Amino acid sequence: MQALILACGLWFGAFAAGVLGLISTEPSTADLMGQVVYDDRPFCQSFVVQTDRGFAILDGEDANLAFGETDTIVGPLRTRGFQSFDVVGRGSIEARLYEWTPNRLHAEQTVRDRCGRDRGLPISAAFLP
């Protein structure tokens, strides 16, 4: 009988610890708010969003929604993969979170590399042969 009571007590303790852990842990899919700080559309669908935790590199899938630098984006800006984001005041966009980095220069250079842009060239010179 003591073994049964001990087993039930251990099970209850483990269950309670698990529930407390879930309650006190921030989910990785929590929506964050950020601002578009680098955008090269319509030439490239990749753009950079700055949050209070770093920089998210996104590849936009919806070419119909017009937005740009200084616009506010809300969504799971720390979760990789295909996500839905809200562009405040404009609508929603489907985008793939490609990478997250704490470094703005790295984020901007990653977008330039993905878009085939050279860091030193102005936008109009990037298409010259």
Side-chain angles (χ1 to χ4, degrees):
M1 184 69 163
Q2 286 182 341
L4 180 61
I5 293 173
L6 182 61
C8 288
L10 287 174
W11 180 86
F12 180 73
F15 181 77
V19 169
L20 286 174
L22 289 173
I23 291 172
S24 64
T25 306
E26 178 183 354
S28 63
T29 61
D31 285 350
L32 294 176
M33 184 180 297
Q35 184 176 27
V36 178
V37 293
Y38 183 79
D39 179 29
D40 197 13
R41 290 175 311 113
F43 305 110
C44 181
Q45 293 302 314
S46 296
F47 56 99
V48 177
V49 176
Q50 180 180 7
T51 71
D52 61 344
R53 299 180 183 182
F55 299 88
I57 302 167
L58 294 135
D59 292 329
E61 300 288 333
D62 187 2
N64 297 326
L65 185 65
F67 67 93
E69 292 179 8
T70 71
D71 281 331
T72 301
I73 304 264
V74 177
L77 290 167
R78 295 265 306 197
T79 306
R80 287 183 186 243
F82 195 69
Q83 308 290 339
S84 180
F85 299 94
D86 182 39
V87 181
V88 175
R90 300 197 185 267
S92 63
I93 183 172
E94 302 293 322
R96 183 172 311 279
L97 195 141
Y98 173 74
E99 184 179 344
W100 185 91
T101 179
N103 185 308
R104 180 177 179 157
L105 293 177
H106 173 75
E108 290 181 8
Q109 186 58 44
T110 299
V111 169
R112 286 187 191 101
D113 292 344
R114 290 178 61 80
C115 297
R117 301 291 182 125
D118 181 37
R119 178 185 287 194
L121 291 177
I123 290 176
S124 61
F127 293 105
L128 296 176

